Each structure stands twice: as C-alpha cells, then as structure tokens.
Amino acid sequence: MPKTSARLLSLLSLLQARRDWPGQLLAERLEVSPRTVRRDVDRLRELGYPIAAIKGPDGGYRLGAGMELPPLLFDDDQAVALAVALQTAAVTGAGIEEAATRALSTVRQVMPARLRHRVDALQVTAVDGPGARPHPQVAPGVLMTLSAAVRAREVLRFDYDPVSPTGTAARADPAATAPRRVQPYHLVTRGGRWYLLAWDLDRDDWRTFRVDRISPRTPTGPRFTPRELPGGDVAAFVAGRFQGSDGTGGWPCLGEVVLDLPASVVSTYTRDGVVEELGPDRCRLVLGAWSWPGLAASIGRFDADIEVIGPTELKGAFAHLARRYAKAAADGPAEPTTPPPSR
C-alpha cells in the first residue's frame, strides 16, 4: 500500500480527471479498501477540497467547486500542456493575452521546482503564416455570454455588424440592421477568429457568425430543443461551409475563375478553396471571401491571366479594382518600376 501522502495525491488526481467515481472503482485503482478511500476523502475535505458523496447502488464521489480554489495537482504532461496553451493564447483572438500571462505566472509559482524548470525551458512564440492579418479581438465577456446561451439552450438576440467594408448599403437596409434571432449551437475558433454556429430563426437555415461582430442583447429568449446538425460533426460542418462544399458556403461571396498556373502552385497558396487541375499550366479555382473586392484582390495576387467563370459580381469587382489600380498608377511616380519576380 502506498504511503498516505502519495495515496492522497493519486486520489486527488483521479477525482480531477473524471466527474463521477464509484467508490469501488477508486479502491481498485488505488489498491486499497473502500474504507480507506472514505478516510482519504475525509482528509482531502479537511484540506479544503469540496468532495461530494454520490448516493446510489454503487455509491461514489465527485470533486465539486468550492468558494475558494484549493491547490491544484498537475502531472508532468499536464504542466507542459498548460504552459503551451497559455503561451499561445495570443493567437486565439479572445482578448485574454494579459490574463493568460498572469495565469501562467501564478501557476508557475506553486509548481514544484522540477516542473517549474520544465515549464521555464518551454518558451513558445505563436506566429501567423505569411500575409496573415491581425486577428480581430473578442471581448471575453461576449464569449461568456454566447457560451452561456449555448449551454442553457436559450434563443440569443444580437446586433450584427454588416460585412461591407463601408457598410453604407448594408446599413440602409432595415433587414440587415435588424437584431438577429438564433438558436446558438456551438462556439468555434478557426484561424485566430471566433465564430458562433447557430440556427438562424429568421432565415430558417444554419449560419456561422463572426463573434467580433456580435453585440449580444439581453435578456435572452426562451429555451429550445437543439436541432440535429447535418453530419453531426461541428468541425467538418464549419470547414465545409468555409470551403463552399455545400454550394453556397459560409462565405457571403463565392466565385470561380480559371488561372494560367499549375494547380500545384495555386493550391500551395490557397488555404480555403477548391483547386482543380485543367492541364499542366492551367487550373480552376473556387474561392470565397467576405466581400467581392476582397475576393478579386485575393485572386489577383496570383501573377497569371485570369478568366472569370462567375458570378457577375466578381467580374464587376475586378473592373472596380482595375479602375482603382489604374488611377493609382497614374498618380504614382513617372518612372516605371521593375515588378517583383513571380513566385
């Protein structure tokens, strides 16, 4: 039988790893009698750990939440995982960078020297890929409000900023500025941005909303019975929406072009899109974006001839950018500059 102190740590670790533990199963794991388990549970309670006894045929125990946070127990792998998670919090877009730094410092102070040295040796800097834009910050309070509505299964009402960069046309449309009513399903983080997956009650369809554009309204609405998500897999469903696999995509603007470039080259620099080879130096690209000018500019970064298959909005966006670029060239320096080499 292990010593009492070591056995208490093992018992605490087991209680933290699972919500409910039958007493007999704990006894088997610790290789002691159920009576010894009861004594050890009483000792942990004296140390401030709120452990509730579960009634029933088997009986058992549950580590609950108390008024104060008692000492936590981390094994080596958990300590490393915690350090990585807190150091990479800067790229989550959740606006918790400072809080994560303070949390890592607090946890480090109570760690034994052995684990503290391992955490100090693990210095991680999270960086984005080339050309990545700064992640929009989301207030932690908004995340908590949305997650609470998801958990409580309550209809959520919120104001949603328009997608248009200027917002002039969108704000003139009453339907675009009206509060959204949704049945929240799940919070998703993708590429440094937060999204709310929900059933839109007014549009009678699944939608993904950028959380940084959401301004929740209170109070929340009535409770609802969650709908069945197509496919049942949140990650696969959201990825399919962004890639346009359902024909409409999660992008409000989805276009199709043919590029005079090999598919292998285009796919290397295409994160969200469908690339189809049409020949050794020709491919079809289906890509989405938040606006038509943004989509045209994204496609224009490939140094190749472009054939627009559709829709007409994408052709109009290319014409709009052509006029803008022509004006910029006319207002620029008189001496021509050498274009950068193609990659």
Side-chain angles (χ1 to χ4, degrees), residues 145-146 148-149 152-157 184 216-223:
T145 299
L146 300 186
R153 299 177 179 177
E154 294 176 342
V155 172
L156 187 66
R157 299 183 308 126
R217 290 194 173 199
T218 55
T220 53
R223 292 181 178 270

Side-chain angles (χ1 to χ4, degrees), residues 256-263 265-267 270 274-287 296 298-309 318:
E256 178 181 351
V257 299
V258 173
L259 298 174
D260 287 345
L261 280 177
V265 174
V266 175
S267 60
T270 303
V274 178
V275 182
E276 178 185 353
E277 184 176 358
L278 300 180
D281 297 310
R282 192 172 170 84
C283 69
R284 182 177 72 95
L285 172 64
V286 178
L287 196 64
S298 180
I299 296 172
R301 64 194 171 98
F302 296 104
D303 187 14
D305 290 337
I306 304 170
E307 177 188 350
V308 179
I309 305 300
F318 274 112

Side-chain angles (χ1 to χ4, degrees), residues 175-199:
T177 58
R180 309 296 285 266
R181 298 185 312 115
V182 303
Q183 295 176 347
Y185 187 84
H186 202 76
L187 275 172
V188 179
T189 179
R190 182 178 187 274
R193 287 187 174 135
W194 286 86
Y195 299 90
L196 174 67
L197 176 60
W199 176 265

Side-chain angles (χ1 to χ4, degrees), residues 179-241:
R180 309 296 285 266
R181 298 185 312 115
V182 303
Q183 295 176 347
Y185 187 84
H186 202 76
L187 275 172
V188 179
T189 179
R190 182 178 187 274
R193 287 187 174 135
W194 286 86
Y195 299 90
L196 174 67
L197 176 60
W199 176 265
D200 194 315
L201 292 171
D202 296 320
R203 290 155 180 81
D204 199 31
D205 192 13
W206 291 97
R207 290 288 190 271
T208 52
F209 299 94
R210 282 262 301 268
V211 174
D212 59 290
R213 291 175 173 159
I214 291 178
S215 299
R217 290 194 173 199
T218 55
T220 53
R223 292 181 178 270
F224 63 90
T225 301
R227 299 170 184 269
E228 183 177 352
L229 183 70
D233 189 311
V234 172
F237 181 84
V238 172
R241 283 280 169 133

Side-chain angles (χ1 to χ4, degrees), residues 4-341:
T4 301
S5 58
R7 195 175 64 245
L8 287 177
L9 290 176
S10 298
L11 174 58
L12 180 58
S13 179
L14 290 173
L15 290 172
Q16 289 180 164
R18 174 172 159 177
R19 178 173 174 81
D20 296 327
W21 277 96
Q24 183 60 40
L25 182 56
L26 282 175
E28 294 175 0
R29 287 290 189 93
L30 298 173
E31 298 181 351
V32 296
S33 67
R35 182 179 179 182
T36 300
V37 172
R38 289 195 295 271
R39 290 177 178 173
D40 289 346
V41 167
D42 290 336
R43 292 189 179 99
L44 288 177
R45 286 170 175 163
E46 292 174 358
L47 294 174
Y49 292 93
I51 302 175
I54 304 173
K55 298 180 180 180
D58 297 329
Y61 303 95
R62 174 187 300 167
L63 180 62
M67 295 298 293
E68 297 180 354
L69 183 66
L72 300 177
L73 177 66
F74 296 104
D75 59 31
D76 290 17
D77 291 340
Q78 289 175 323
V80 172
L82 182 63
V84 171
L86 291 175
Q87 290 188 49
T88 57
V91 298
T92 63
I96 58 173
E97 295 87 346
E98 181 182 351
T101 301
R102 288 189 286 107
L104 181 60
S105 176
T106 301
V107 172
R108 179 188 175 280
Q109 291 178 8
V110 298
M111 284 182 174
R114 174 177 53 82
L115 289 183
R116 190 182 308 124
H117 291 326
R118 291 194 63 183
V119 169
D120 290 344
L122 182 64
Q123 296 297 322
V124 181
T125 300
V127 297
D128 292 317
R133 293 172 294 180
H135 301 311
Q137 294 297 298
V138 176
V142 174
L143 287 177
M144 295 301 295
T145 299
L146 300 186
S147 62
V150 171
R151 182 180 180 86
R153 299 177 179 177
E154 294 176 342
V155 172
L156 187 66
R157 299 183 308 126
F158 56 85
D159 296 315
Y160 196 60
D161 291 340
V163 173
S164 171
T166 60
T168 303
R171 296 182 192 281
D173 183 5
T177 58
R180 309 296 285 266
R181 298 185 312 115
V182 303
Q183 295 176 347
Y185 187 84
H186 202 76
L187 275 172
V188 179
T189 179
R190 182 178 187 274
R193 287 187 174 135
W194 286 86
Y195 299 90
L196 174 67
L197 176 60
W199 176 265
D200 194 315
L201 292 171
D202 296 320
R203 290 155 180 81
D204 199 31
D205 192 13
W206 291 97
R207 290 288 190 271
T208 52
F209 299 94
R210 282 262 301 268
V211 174
D212 59 290
R213 291 175 173 159
I214 291 178
S215 299
R217 290 194 173 199
T218 55
T220 53
R223 292 181 178 270
F224 63 90
T225 301
R227 299 170 184 269
E228 183 177 352
L229 183 70
D233 189 311
V234 172
F237 181 84
V238 172
R241 283 280 169 133
F242 277 97
Q243 293 173 357
S245 63
D246 60 354
T248 58
W251 298 111
C253 305
L254 191 70
E256 178 181 351
V257 299
V258 173
L259 298 174
D260 287 345
L261 280 177
S264 58
V265 174
V266 175
S267 60
T268 301
Y269 301 99
T270 303
R271 181 177 180 181
D272 296 317
V274 178
V275 182
E276 178 185 353
E277 184 176 358
L278 300 180
D281 297 310
R282 192 172 170 84
C283 69
R284 182 177 72 95
L285 172 64
V286 178
L287 196 64
W290 292 107
S291 68
W292 293 112
L295 178 57
S298 180
I299 296 172
R301 64 194 171 98
F302 296 104
D303 187 14
D305 290 337
I306 304 170
E307 177 188 350
V308 179
I309 305 300
T312 57
E313 289 86 351
L314 181 56
K315 290 186 177 182
F318 274 112
H320 172 70
L321 291 183
R323 292 190 295 270
R324 176 174 293 174
Y325 293 158
K327 182 178 183 300
D331 296 340
E335 296 182 1
T337 56
T338 303

